[in-house]
Amino acid sequence: MFAVLKTGGKQYKVQAGDVLRIEKLAANAGDKIQFNDILMVGGESVTVGVPFVEGAAVQAEVIAQIKGEKVIHFVKRRRKHSSQRTKGHRQHLTLVRVTDVLASGAEKSGVTVATGTADARRAAHNAEAAPAAEAPAKPKRAKKAADAVAE
């Protein structure tokens, strides 16, 4: 059985036992994660999602957080000043091993959903900001508001 999953803006065709290098996820080595954005599930019969297959999931185990190979970005301006600049970059990746492809029953599995690091930071930021939303009223303003309501 195989599945086509979407994560990090890319699509991967996977089956049980595959090892993938994907965009960095908010998970530690040894964690079990689940991908819920499944575009297609195949095997004896093929199911294509519109846009995703309902109830389908791919479960995986995080092996390690790694860095990709170095990418060199070389800039050269040909005229006038003849300036040159070299910049390098190594992308952060997560190494995962696919353990299971589920055609249905993903909601009941109880495995944490795979989220990217940007999504995790956004969720943590929103969770911290929610309780501090209500500021206590200042005493003078509260008294004026109470007087205005009484009149």
Side-chain angles (χ1 to χ4, degrees), residues 36-148:
N36 291 331
D37 294 344
I38 308 300
L39 303 170
M40 184 169 85
V41 176
E44 295 175 9
S45 64
V46 176
T47 306
V48 178
V50 186
F52 302 118
V53 178
E54 291 294 321
V58 172
Q59 293 181 349
E61 179 184 354
V62 177
I63 298 171
Q65 299 285 353
I66 61 172
K67 284 187 177 182
E69 51 281 339
K70 190 164 190 174
V71 178
I72 303 296
H73 177 224
F74 184 74
V75 179
K76 179 178 179 180
R77 295 188 182 90
R78 283 182 37 210
R79 295 182 182 86
K80 283 275 189 169
H81 306 292
S82 300
S83 63
Q84 297 178 359
R85 178 175 56 207
T86 303
K87 292 199 277 186
H89 173 72
R90 292 183 72 185
Q91 186 69 31
H92 293 278
L93 302 170
T94 302
L95 198 62
V96 298
R97 177 178 292 116
V98 176
T99 56
D100 197 13
V101 177
L102 303 173
S104 61
E107 304 86 25
K108 303 173 203 166
S109 66
V111 179
T112 59
V113 176
T115 58
T117 53
D119 295 334
R121 283 195 308 267
R122 204 172 298 120
H125 178 73
N126 291 339
E128 291 172 6
E134 286 188 38
K138 294 185 177 180
K140 287 184 180 178
R141 290 187 182 172
K143 185 177 178 183
K144 285 182 181 179
D147 292 341

